[in-house]
Amino acid sequence: MPLEHIELARLNVPDNPQTRARLAELTHPAGVALQPADTYEARDPAGIVTIVVDRHQMVTSVRIRPRWFEQLRPEAFPATVYNTYVTAVQRALAVEFAHRAPEPQGQFAPPAPRADPSDVPLEEWLASTRSRLDAIDAEYDAIRRREQAPPSADVTEVRSPLGYLSMQMRNGGPISLQGDPQALDNPSDTVLADDVLRLFVRAGLGVDPGERPRPAARPRTGGDEGDDDYFTDFRVLGKGD
């Protein structure tokens, strides 16, 4: 499901203490209420990785603290980037959701009055009924085919230009990040940050610094536990690492 097609006013966000706490954490970082903006920022708990996304959840900036490897093991770096990206997207969606316009009341057009069957010629009524039944049968057949089709398990991999990280994707959505601990042993923070940004650009999840921002157009279904926790049914309020 492409994120730009989500109707925030119609999302079914569960009302429970955990959800309310997560929503408050996303929309009031450090106690400051966020307003809808062009960009949204997230940092990992240690403040090593900072990722900025635009209102379409596209990555626009990546910053990494100098000498980050003194505080973070290289093998933990890919998960830190992924979870920070998750939180940035969570924040963008949560803030937009919290400030959504109220759904209009009483502005829906009344249903058109049904024609009296006695006023319709028999042949026309039979043709219309047959057309409706055929459409229903076709829809049922399509549903049965979807139910019987084996689930898609195709996973594609996108590598960053310099090869520090690789992103696993399913149905156009990210499911994990991986990296080579040896390659990540001591790279420049600026070079690594640029490589991470270019990875998101290659995956269709980021904006090239030399291009104008554009809406995202990518499906978001199917993934591992981390992916499910923040995309499915607007469980973007699930606690991230």
Side-chain angles (χ1 to χ4, degrees):
M1 179 176 60
L3 290 181
E4 76 274 16
H5 292 157
I6 287 179
E7 297 182 35
L8 293 177
R10 297 177 181 273
L11 289 173
N12 181 22
V13 179
D15 184 15
N16 55 54
Q18 293 79 13
T19 298
R20 290 194 294 270
R22 183 56 176 162
L23 183 60
E25 180 182 347
L26 290 168
T27 59
H28 293 71
V32 178
L34 297 181
Q35 299 297 319
D38 292 333
T39 60
Y40 298 91
E41 179 181 291
R43 300 180 182 180
D44 69 286
I48 295 173
V49 175
T50 302
I51 291 182
V52 180
V53 301
D54 63 18
R55 63 191 313 165
H56 304 294
Q57 300 88 49
M58 300 284 279
V59 177
T60 63
S61 173
V62 177
R63 300 193 300 274
I64 299 172
R65 179 186 294 174
R67 305 191 66 81
W68 62 270
F69 44 84
E70 296 179 351
Q71 298 177 273
L72 183 67
R73 301 189 316 275
E75 58 268 25
F77 180 78
T80 299
V81 172
Y82 183 82
N83 291 332
T84 305
Y85 164 71
V86 166
T87 301
V89 173
Q90 290 176 343
R91 178 155 289 139
L93 289 172
V95 173
E96 296 289 335
F97 173 77
H99 293 85
R100 70 197 186 283
E103 204 166 319
Q105 299 292 332
Q107 299 183 13
F108 299 101
R114 295 184 178 181
D116 188 340
S118 62
D119 296 335
V120 180
L122 179 60
E123 294 79 3
E124 183 179 338
W125 182 84
L126 288 174
S128 175
T129 301
R130 187 178 299 110
S131 177
R132 292 180 184 177
L133 292 176
D134 289 344
I136 293 173
D137 288 341
E139 182 63 24
Y140 279 141
D141 288 341
I143 292 173
R144 283 194 293 269
R145 286 194 297 271
R146 289 195 295 268
E147 290 177 345
Q148 294 171 2
S152 174
D154 293 336
V155 175
T156 59
E157 181 177 86
V158 180
R159 293 184 64 82
S160 64
L162 299 180
Y164 286 117
L165 295 176
S166 61
M167 179 183 294
Q168 286 65 49
M169 305 183 70
R170 180 180 294 130
N171 295 328
I175 59 176
S176 67
L177 281 179
Q178 295 181 357
D180 182 354
Q182 292 183 345
L184 290 168
D185 184 45
N186 189 9
S188 162
D189 57 284
T190 55
V191 171
L192 182 56
D194 183 70
D195 199 45
V196 173
L197 174 58
R198 302 283 177 183
L199 171 62
F200 281 99
V201 173
R202 279 189 171 185
L205 307 175
V207 178
D208 190 293
E211 296 181 1
R212 295 179 59 186
R214 61 188 183 279
R218 57 193 189 277
R220 290 286 201 178
T221 57
D224 62 8
E225 182 178 353
D227 189 48
D228 291 341
D229 280 347
Y230 100 95
F231 284 125
T232 305
D233 295 333
F234 198 63
R235 283 186 290 147
V236 298
L237 305 182
K239 179 65 176 176
D241 294 334

